[in-house]
Amino acid sequence: MSATTLESFLAHEPADMIAGDIRPLPGQSIRSHNPAAPAETVWEGGSNLAHVDDAVSAARAAQSAWARTPMSKRIEALQAFKAIATARKDKMGQLIQLETGKAKWDAHAEIGILTGKLDITLDEGDGSSRQR
Protein backbone atom coordinates (compact mmCIF):
# COMPACT_ATOMS: atom_id res chain seq x y z
CA MET A 1 0.00 0.00 0.00
CA SER A 2 1.34 3.41 -0.86
CA ALA A 3 1.93 6.13 1.69
CA THR A 4 -1.38 7.35 2.96
CA THR A 5 -2.35 10.56 4.64
CA LEU A 6 -4.97 11.09 7.26
CA GLU A 7 -6.93 13.42 5.02
CA SER A 8 -7.59 10.65 2.51
CA PHE A 9 -9.50 8.64 5.14
CA LEU A 10 -10.97 10.77 7.90
CA ALA A 11 -13.47 13.61 7.80
CA HIS A 12 -11.75 15.38 10.71
CA GLU A 13 -8.28 15.72 12.16
CA PRO A 14 -7.71 13.44 15.16
CA ALA A 15 -10.21 14.43 17.82
CA ASP A 16 -12.28 13.20 20.70
CA MET A 17 -16.05 13.25 20.36
CA ILE A 18 -17.67 14.05 23.68
CA ALA A 19 -21.43 14.54 24.01
CA GLY A 20 -21.65 15.09 20.25
CA ASP A 21 -18.93 17.77 20.22
CA ILE A 22 -15.73 17.24 18.26
CA ARG A 23 -12.75 18.33 20.35
CA PRO A 24 -9.50 18.57 18.36
CA LEU A 25 -6.29 16.98 19.58
CA PRO A 26 -3.65 19.32 18.17
CA GLY A 27 -0.01 18.37 18.40
CA GLN A 28 2.18 15.42 17.62
CA SER A 29 2.65 13.68 20.96
CA ILE A 30 0.73 10.62 19.75
CA ARG A 31 1.74 9.10 16.42
CA SER A 32 0.37 5.92 14.90
CA HIS A 33 2.64 4.10 12.47
CA ASN A 34 1.72 1.31 10.09
CA PRO A 35 3.49 -1.75 11.55
CA ALA A 36 3.90 -3.22 8.07
CA ALA A 37 5.51 0.02 6.83
CA PRO A 38 6.94 1.84 9.86
CA ALA A 39 7.90 4.90 7.85
CA GLU A 40 4.18 5.57 7.21
CA THR A 41 2.42 7.74 9.76
CA VAL A 42 -1.25 6.81 9.79
CA TRP A 43 -2.29 9.71 12.02
CA GLU A 44 -0.87 11.96 14.69
CA GLY A 45 -2.32 14.20 17.31
CA GLY A 46 -1.94 15.44 20.83
CA SER A 47 -3.57 14.37 24.03
CA ASN A 48 -5.82 16.16 26.47
CA LEU A 49 -6.41 14.37 29.75
CA ALA A 50 -9.23 16.77 30.65
CA HIS A 51 -11.21 15.11 27.87
CA VAL A 52 -11.27 11.89 29.92
CA ASP A 53 -13.18 13.46 32.81
CA ASP A 54 -15.50 15.24 30.38
CA ALA A 55 -16.17 11.99 28.48
CA VAL A 56 -16.92 10.05 31.67
CA SER A 57 -19.29 12.80 32.84
CA ALA A 58 -21.03 12.90 29.47
CA ALA A 59 -21.41 9.11 29.44
CA ARG A 60 -22.87 9.11 32.93
CA ALA A 61 -25.30 11.87 31.98
CA ALA A 62 -26.38 10.03 28.82
CA GLN A 63 -26.81 6.63 30.49
CA SER A 64 -30.11 7.39 32.23
CA ALA A 65 -31.67 8.67 29.00
CA TRP A 66 -30.42 5.59 27.14
CA ALA A 67 -31.84 3.34 29.86
CA ARG A 68 -35.26 4.92 29.28
CA THR A 69 -34.99 4.56 25.50
CA PRO A 70 -37.52 2.03 24.21
CA MET A 71 -36.05 -1.19 22.82
CA SER A 72 -37.39 -0.33 19.35
CA LYS A 73 -35.28 2.87 19.30
CA ARG A 74 -32.20 1.03 20.55
CA ILE A 75 -32.64 -1.50 17.76
CA GLU A 76 -32.95 1.34 15.24
CA ALA A 77 -29.68 2.83 16.53
CA LEU A 78 -27.85 -0.50 16.12
CA GLN A 79 -29.34 -1.01 12.66
CA ALA A 80 -28.24 2.50 11.66
CA PHE A 81 -24.71 1.79 12.93
CA LYS A 82 -24.65 -1.47 10.99
CA ALA A 83 -25.75 0.36 7.82
CA ILE A 84 -22.97 2.92 8.27
CA ALA A 85 -20.35 0.22 8.90
CA THR A 86 -21.54 -1.69 5.83
CA ALA A 87 -21.50 1.41 3.63
CA ARG A 88 -18.00 2.34 4.80
CA LYS A 89 -16.54 -1.16 4.92
CA ASP A 90 -13.83 -0.51 2.33
CA LYS A 91 -12.57 2.65 4.02
CA MET A 92 -12.77 1.07 7.48
CA GLY A 93 -10.90 -1.98 6.21
CA GLN A 94 -8.14 0.23 4.84
CA LEU A 95 -7.84 2.04 8.17
CA ILE A 96 -7.62 -1.25 10.06
CA GLN A 97 -4.97 -2.41 7.58
CA LEU A 98 -2.93 0.76 8.08
CA GLU A 99 -3.29 0.80 11.88
CA THR A 100 -2.49 -2.86 12.45
CA GLY A 101 -0.34 -3.85 9.47
CA LYS A 102 -2.76 -6.71 8.77
CA ALA A 103 -3.18 -8.19 5.33
CA LYS A 104 -5.96 -6.58 3.32
CA TRP A 105 -8.20 -9.65 3.45
CA ASP A 106 -7.81 -9.90 7.23
CA ALA A 107 -8.49 -6.22 7.87
CA HIS A 108 -11.60 -6.34 5.70
CA ALA A 109 -12.78 -9.51 7.43
CA GLU A 110 -12.91 -7.56 10.69
CA ILE A 111 -15.71 -5.41 9.27
CA GLY A 112 -17.64 -8.58 8.46
CA ILE A 113 -17.09 -9.72 12.03
CA LEU A 114 -18.39 -6.38 13.31
CA THR A 115 -21.58 -6.55 11.27
CA GLY A 116 -21.98 -10.22 12.19
CA LYS A 117 -21.80 -9.35 15.88
CA LEU A 118 -24.47 -6.73 15.35
CA ASP A 119 -26.64 -9.38 13.70
CA ILE A 120 -26.16 -11.61 16.76
CA THR A 121 -27.07 -8.73 19.08
CA LEU A 122 -30.20 -7.99 17.05
CA ASP A 123 -31.22 -11.66 16.74
CA GLU A 124 -34.60 -12.55 18.19
CA GLY A 125 -34.36 -16.27 17.50
CA ASP A 126 -34.44 -19.17 19.94
CA GLY A 127 -31.78 -18.78 22.59
CA SER A 128 -31.54 -15.03 22.12
CA SER A 129 -31.02 -13.09 25.33
CA ARG A 130 -32.72 -10.02 23.84
CA GLN A 131 -36.19 -9.45 25.16
CA ARG A 132 -38.72 -6.87 24.13
Side-chain angles (χ1 to χ4, degrees):
M1 182 175 288
S2 62
T4 306
T5 62
L6 173 71
E7 292 79 24
S8 67
F9 288 101
L10 303 178
H12 303 278
E13 293 292 320
D16 289 328
M17 181 176 277
I18 302 169
D21 295 326
I22 294 174
R23 299 187 187 182
L25 295 169
Q28 298 176 335
S29 61
I30 302 171
R31 183 171 292 143
S32 173
H33 294 276
N34 179 344
E40 286 185 23
T41 297
V42 179
W43 64 269
E44 59 187 10
S47 64
N48 187 331
L49 293 179
H51 288 188
V52 175
D53 290 334
D54 293 345
V56 170
S57 294
R60 284 186 177 139
Q63 196 282 327
S64 61
W66 181 252
R68 291 188 308 273
T69 301
M71 183 61 73
S72 61
K73 294 294 184 189
R74 293 180 191 201
I75 291 168
E76 285 177 23
L78 287 174
Q79 289 170 333
F81 177 68
K82 180 183 175 190
I84 291 168
T86 300
R88 297 180 182 174
K89 66 182 178 183
D90 290 337
K91 189 175 275 194
M92 290 172 64
Q94 288 177 318
L95 280 170
I96 291 169
Q97 184 180 3
L98 287 170
E99 274 277 311
T100 64
K102 288 186 172 193
K104 182 177 181 177
W105 68 265
D106 194 13
H108 286 267
E110 286 202 30
I111 305 306
I113 292 168
L114 169 68
T115 57
K117 287 181 180 182
L118 287 167
D119 287 337
I120 291 168
T121 300
L122 293 167
D123 181 27
E124 292 185 74
D126 292 338
S128 171
S129 62
R130 185 166 65 96
Q131 297 186 10
R132 294 193 153 190

